[in-house]
Amino acid sequence: MSALQKTYCETIAYEFEHVMLPSVKRYGIEGSESIVVLLDQLVFEAAQYGVTDIVAGLSHRGRLGILTSLFEYPKDEVLRKLRGGSEFSDGSPHTGDMVVDLAKSATLNYPGIDSPINVDILCNACHLDSGMPIGMGKSRTKDINIARAKNNQNHTIGDHVLPVSLHGDSSFAGQGIVAESLGMSGLTHFTNGGTVHVIINNQVGYTTPASHTRTTRYASDIAKFVDIPIIHVNGDHPEELARAARTAVAYRQKFRKDVVIDVWTFRKRGHNELDEPSFTQPAMYKRINSRKSIPAMYEDKLIESGELTREKADKVRKQWLESLNIAFADSFSCNPVDPTRPPGWSKLGAPHEYPTEEATGVNTNELSNIGVKSVTTSESVTVHPRIERFHIKPRLKKLQEGAGLDWATAEALAFGSLLAEGYNVRLSGQDVGRGTFSQRHAMLVCQETEKVYVPLNHMDADSQEQRMGKLEVVNSNLCEGAVVGFEYGVSVEDPFTLAIWEAQFGDFYNNSQTMFDGYIVSGETKWGQQNGLVLLLPHGFDGGGPDHSSCRLERHLQLSNDPVDGHTDAMPNIYVTYPTTPAQFFHLLRRQVKRNFRKPLIVAAPKTMLRLASATSALNEMSPGTCFKPVLDDPTTRDPHSVKRVMVVSGKLYYDLAKLKNENPLGEHVAIVRVEELTPFPRRELFHVLSRYDNATDFVWVQEEPRNAGAYAFAAPRIKSMLPQHTTLRYVGRSEHAATCSGVETQQAAEHVQLTTEAFDGLRGLVADLVIDSIATQHEKQHDKPASVISASVSHRWASRAVYAAHSSDH
């Protein structure tokens, strides 16, 4: 009877919506109603094994019916959304999503089960199956955190959380993210104890028949390569689906591996309710339209067996229809209850609250000890002699001197200091343990046994009360999309784990663009779902060719909601930085978890700067009272009044320009200002620096990227708005280019020489103007004459832009 009620609730709801809201696309589950029975049985069976939480990734197909009939989503709120309203409360800052992407967590109770079951419905973008790896990362992290909270010493991944993922037949067979996610499902640092995958196999993809959507016989065949069981079941028989659910959960709990349930069913209407499916599948829909619905067939079976009467079935339908009529009336006046914030997030500020910042410096003695620990191994570990010579000994020497610290050392100090404060750090990506450029060596491999040793995980606590965090070094499989999605899931679930994904080269993030667009940068705006994921994207034009040089700064900046005029205190959706010193990098990493809020952080990470002697930091730059600086002024400027040209630059090009400035006899008349944080754009900080150069008449943005790339298009209008009247911002850099850069090393080198040379062209004329102006001013003072036309033209009246001194963008 329970199974009948659940399947009928689906059908009645869709018929009701079809009558009341005929022009709304709902992507109904008619023809696959028995899926609700399957999901209900999965949750119940998991609870029997002691599982307390479900992480459910739903598909478009049938989402609304599943949410209302099984996961208790308020029907009036769903109908409000179908009528064009928001799923959030009145006045909410969140913009919402499509009706078929609704999500709200639920708590279910079952007879005979002592504890309620928490169901975490994933927020997911419309890109098919993109939520699959996110659910994996979220469920693994949730399971580990529950075990820690219970102090479970005999914990096995998957003891407390069951992930369930719904798929369409065509997307499961066709979307590459499915193969990527399955491929990492059994890996040590990615396993979640097994996901139960449910394929709603209606044997057609939009308008494309199954014979054109895959080469294999079954939609589920892609799962064969990971050696997991696949259960095929006829969706016409709800009881068989319940049996399949029991089998799947039992296998998963026994072997902690994924299971696929391929439910063969059909789609009553078109891809959505406004489609006409017989345009492309006339024979299929003749058969579909001539058959009974699954609930009607099951009702007949129960009546024939004497387990149900027609009157009882009519009563169920009537009650559900009455509840829908009431909900429809209420939908005109209801004010939805916003989703509750997940555990842990309540300790942080809400997404729309103005943030507070904490100092990120650490006692230098503590840092020095952490640095030593970062290269200290056990006696049983034999370290490679080259690592001993070129990594361990130099680090110890520089720590002792307190100067010349490189990027890998600063990173280790950031990680170690966070671990000592109880934060966890998860560093994931291809070859991150050693580092793409052999710079990190966060994990050391014994040359005799190949045993992996992570030095920072062997730091001693100062007291019994001190809880040490853990550094999880994850050399991922060779994919980007699924791994980034997984790490996003980790970050969404646990705000106190510093989750980091590092690309081998910045360009490689391209394969995970869906995760950036649909989740990382927009999830908070759409769903109120914050994340603090850090993305390290090595960037720099140093001969790597068009696919190993650019992290595409321009694309990330285009995704920023930073206002061009800057005259608002809008909260940024992302932080994009291009730090030029190890100390800056140190503070960025610590700032990410020391704040009272979370935002994704995209870092244009170093390549050549990793070992550049001039790109090092002293230990005291990370001491108490120090912090990340969005703008760095020119440290070599002796007299700001003598500067005629101000170069504004972001990233490693600074060091090339600084070298040329030092060699140029007129270099004292140039200031090179670094913008370390590109979004939110540091208007106040940059204004304060630029306004020091009150005699400067030439302002130049210099970059190594082509003009149609890099940060120029983003930064230029923001800088121009703060410059004095009658002053503009010139561009110096490569011209527009279709590819990222040239793959011909000699050509790239020639372009680099040309742009750095051009940055200093015309300097003699500017200095001559400064001399003439100085002489004229002295002459006028001596003869008590009014200011000349020349001096007036040099006077910039910075006060006319004073608005930037009163508005802060340092969120």
Side-chain angles (χ1 to χ4, degrees):
M1 185 60 210
S2 175
L4 175 65
Q5 185 169 344
K6 288 181 171 62
T7 55
Y8 250 130
C9 289
E10 291 274 355
T11 299
I12 296 166
Y14 285 118
E15 291 297 340
F16 176 86
E17 292 164 357
H18 202 61
V19 172
M20 304 299 287
L21 301 161
S23 61
V24 177
K25 299 176 182 178
R26 302 178 302 281
Y27 301 87
I29 203 172
E30 295 158 288
S32 307
E33 295 94 336
S34 53
I35 289 291
V36 180
V37 176
L38 172 64
L39 293 176
D40 186 45
Q41 193 69 35
L42 284 173
V43 177
F44 177 72
E45 289 297 320
Q48 302 270 47
Y49 283 93
V51 168
T52 60
D53 289 73
I54 305 291
V55 173
L58 304 182
S59 59
H60 290 169
R61 180 71 54 211
R63 191 185 193 99
L64 298 184
I66 292 169
L67 287 174
T68 53
S69 65
L70 179 58
F71 295 137
E72 302 176 348
Y73 199 113
K75 293 188 285 295
D76 56 345
E77 293 184 17
V78 171
L79 289 165
R80 166 186 157 119
K81 181 67 176 179
L82 286 168
R83 291 179 38 256
S86 172
E87 63 268 42
F88 292 100
S89 61
D90 298 337
S92 170
H94 309 305
T95 58
D97 206 338
M98 288 180 63
V99 68
V100 290
D101 289 327
L102 289 181
K104 186 178 286 188
S105 298
T107 302
L108 304 182
N109 293 280
Y110 289 90
I113 304 296
D114 295 334
S115 301
I117 308 301
N118 304 309
V119 182
D120 192 345
I121 309 294
L122 288 178
C123 297
N124 63 275
C126 279
H127 295 283
L128 296 176
D129 283 298
S130 60
M132 184 174 171
I134 297 170
M136 293 170 64
K138 201 173 196 298
S139 58
R140 174 186 168 91
T141 306
K142 185 187 291 287
D143 189 79
I144 292 172
N145 286 347
I146 292 173
R148 284 177 180 154
K150 293 182 175 181
N151 197 25
N152 187 347
Q153 301 298 322
N154 299 314
H155 172 244
T156 301
I157 297 291
D159 278 352
H160 307 290
V161 180
L162 173 70
V164 178
S165 185
L166 268 65
H167 313 265
D169 52 322
S170 295
S171 63
F172 194 80
Q175 291 292 327
I177 197 75
V178 173
E180 288 186 12
S181 301
L182 289 172
M184 69 185 190
S185 63
L187 300 178
T188 301
H189 295 283
F190 293 99
T191 183
N192 58 3
T195 299
V196 177
H197 302 276
V198 179
I199 301 175
I200 305 176
N201 188 350
N202 50 41
Q203 305 172 68
V204 61
Y206 205 151
T207 66
T208 306
S211 59
H212 287 196
T213 61
R214 61 180 184 268
T215 303
T216 59
R217 180 175 183 180
Y218 296 106
S220 56
D221 281 348
I222 187 66
K224 289 180 177 179
F225 87 95
V226 285
D227 195 25
I228 58 176
I230 300 169
I231 304 170
H232 301 281
V233 59
N234 189 336
D236 280 354
H237 306 292
E239 292 173 359
E240 291 302 309
L241 268 69
R243 181 182 170 196
R246 290 193 292 272
T247 304
V249 173
Y251 178 91
R252 186 264 184 183
Q253 292 302 112
K254 173 72 173 177
F255 299 104
R256 300 299 162 99
K257 295 180 67 175
D258 286 21
V259 184
V260 177
I261 304 176
D262 181 18
V263 183
W264 284 67
T265 179
F266 64 94
R267 191 184 68 194
K268 173 66 175 175
R269 306 185 192 279
H271 179 64
N272 59 66
E273 289 69 19
L274 306 186
D275 271 346
E276 176 48 69
S278 63
F279 287 166
T280 50
Q281 279 78 37
M284 174 185 281
Y285 276 86
K286 280 181 182 178
R287 297 187 66 180
I288 289 173
N289 292 330
S290 65
R291 59 161 288 164
K292 280 188 173 182
S293 70
I294 292 174
M297 290 168 57
Y298 193 50
E299 178 186 336
D300 290 344
K301 176 183 176 182
L302 293 178
I303 292 174
E304 289 174 9
S305 66
E307 297 179 56
L308 177 70
T309 64
R310 188 73 65 184
E311 291 75 20
K312 178 65 173 176
D314 291 340
K315 184 179 179 180
V316 170
R317 283 192 293 270
K318 183 179 179 181
Q319 289 174 342
W320 190 253
L321 186 59
E322 288 176 354
S323 72
L324 289 172
N325 278 310
I326 294 171
F328 188 77
D330 291 344
S331 69
F332 288 86
S333 58
C334 78
N335 188 17
V337 177
D338 290 338
T340 56
R341 304 186 78 196
W345 286 95
S346 58
K347 299 175 183 177
L348 301 173
H352 57 277
E353 290 181 2
Y354 202 77
T356 60
E357 301 280 6
E358 288 189 27
T360 50
V362 179
N363 180 278
T364 54
N365 288 330
E366 292 179 22
L367 290 179
S368 184
N369 290 333
I370 291 170
V372 172
K373 290 286 187 180
S374 71
V375 288
T376 301
T377 64
S378 125
E379 293 181 358
S380 62
V381 177
T382 303
V383 178
H384 194 288
R386 289 178 61 187
I387 294 178
E388 181 75 35
R389 179 182 176 187
F390 296 109
H391 178 72
I392 296 177
K393 289 182 178 179
R395 176 172 293 183
L396 294 174
K397 181 175 182 292
K398 290 172 183 176
L399 285 167
Q400 188 175 16
E401 296 170 351
L405 302 181
D406 59 20
W407 293 75
T409 302
E411 180 187 75
L413 298 181
F415 289 170
S417 59
L418 290 173
L419 298 179
E421 294 174 30
Y423 296 99
N424 297 310
V425 178
R426 179 180 163 97
L427 175 63
S428 175
Q430 296 152 20
D431 312 299
V432 296
R434 189 204 74 169
T436 298
F437 310 101
S438 196
Q439 85 283 5
R440 179 175 289 121
H441 300 291
M443 49 170 275
L444 300 172
V445 179
C446 178
Q447 298 301 296
E448 304 296 334
T449 64
E450 289 200 358
K451 177 184 176 181
V452 172
Y453 188 88
V454 180
L456 286 176
N457 283 336
H458 296 271
M459 294 193 302
D460 297 324
D462 293 334
S463 64
Q464 291 183 345
E465 292 74 25
Q466 184 181 13
R467 176 195 171 275
M468 299 293 291
K470 179 184 178 182
L471 170 61
E472 188 174 8
V473 182
V474 183
N475 285 328
S476 75
N477 57 327
L478 200 63
C479 76
E480 290 80 30
V483 176
V484 172
F486 190 100
E487 305 310 329
Y488 172 78
V490 172
S491 181
V492 163
E493 179 61 29
D494 187 356
F496 299 104
T497 288
L498 178 62
I500 303 172
W501 179 73
E502 181 180 69
Q504 274 191 334
F505 291 88
D507 319 61
F508 295 0
Y509 97 93
N510 282 330
N511 290 336
S512 58
Q513 188 73 56
T514 293
M515 297 301 168
F516 280 70
D517 293 353
Y519 295 92
I520 296 170
V521 306
S522 61
E524 181 180 331
T525 298
K526 294 187 293 186
W527 313 311
Q529 181 168 280
Q530 291 178 288
N531 79 92
L533 183 61
V534 177
L535 300 127
L536 304 182
L537 309 179
H539 177 86
F541 287 47
D542 46 24
D547 295 318
H548 295 79
S549 298
S550 175
C551 73
R552 294 289 188 178
L553 277 169
E554 64 279 4
R555 292 184 185 171
H556 305 306
L557 294 172
Q558 191 178 43
L559 295 172
S560 167
N561 66 354
D562 183 84
V564 175
D565 59 20
H567 295 158
T568 65
D569 285 329
M571 281 286 287
N573 61 327
I574 55 172
Y575 281 75
V576 179
T577 63
Y578 195 173
T580 56
T581 74
Q584 288 279 82
F585 186 47
F586 167 87
H587 290 299
L588 272 177
L589 293 175
R590 285 186 50 80
R591 184 182 76 168
Q592 191 67 2
V593 289
K594 297 298 290 183
R595 288 169 154 175
N596 74 329
F597 68 102
R598 296 291 180 265
K599 300 283 181 178
L601 170 64
I602 297 171
V603 181
K607 294 192 296 181
T608 54
M609 281 194 294
L610 289 170
R611 293 181 174 85
L612 187 64
S614 53
T616 58
S617 296
L619 201 58
N620 61 15
E621 294 177 60
M622 308 172 211
S623 62
T626 59
C627 61
F628 175 78
K629 298 177 181 178
V631 177
L632 293 180
D633 198 357
D634 193 330
T636 65
T637 300
R638 283 177 283 185
D639 179 12
H641 304 294
S642 68
V643 170
K644 289 295 291 180
R645 174 174 295 168
V646 177
M647 299 180 189
V648 186
V649 65
S650 187
K652 80 174 187 69
L653 186 61
Y654 163 78
Y655 292 102
D656 298 322
L657 295 174
K659 183 174 181 293
L660 290 175
K661 173 188 171 178
N662 185 55
E663 296 169 351
N664 193 306
L666 300 177
E668 64 181 298
H669 303 291
V670 175
I672 307 173
V673 177
R674 284 168 278 177
V675 179
E676 302 274 290
E677 185 169 82
L678 292 161
T679 182
F681 197 74
R683 294 169 175 81
R684 184 185 65 176
E685 295 83 358
L686 185 58
F687 176 84
H688 283 319
V689 171
L690 295 182
S691 60
R692 292 180 62 229
Y693 304 108
D694 52 1
N695 283 321
T697 57
D698 190 25
F699 295 86
V700 188
W701 176 272
V702 190
Q703 68 176 35
E704 59 181 354
E705 300 88 355
R707 187 165 185 157
N708 58 327
Y712 173 68
F714 181 86
R718 291 162 172 80
I719 296 175
K720 288 177 181 177
S721 69
M722 70 176 67
L723 291 180
Q725 294 178 356
H726 313 299
T727 307
T728 188
L729 181 72
R730 292 193 301 114
Y731 170 81
V732 171
R734 288 176 169 88
S735 61
E736 292 80 356
H737 205 280
T740 303
C741 64
S742 172
V744 180
E745 191 170 345
T746 53
Q747 179 181 342
Q748 190 173 106
E751 291 172 350
H752 185 79
V753 170
Q754 180 181 345
L755 75 89
T756 52
T757 302
E758 183 183 347
F760 290 89
D761 284 350
L763 193 56
R764 188 177 298 276
L766 289 173
V767 174
D769 291 342
L770 180 65
V771 173
I772 294 171
D773 187 50
S774 176
I775 294 173
T777 301
Q778 292 178 5
H779 178 75
E780 288 153 3
K781 286 181 178 180
Q782 291 175 357
H783 296 83
D784 197 24
K785 293 182 178 180
S788 68
V789 175
I790 294 178
S791 60
S793 69
V794 176
S795 176
H796 288 201
R797 296 182 297 279
W798 282 96
S800 66
R801 303 295 188 183
V803 63
Y804 291 101
H807 286 79
S808 171
S809 66
D810 186 17
H811 297 304

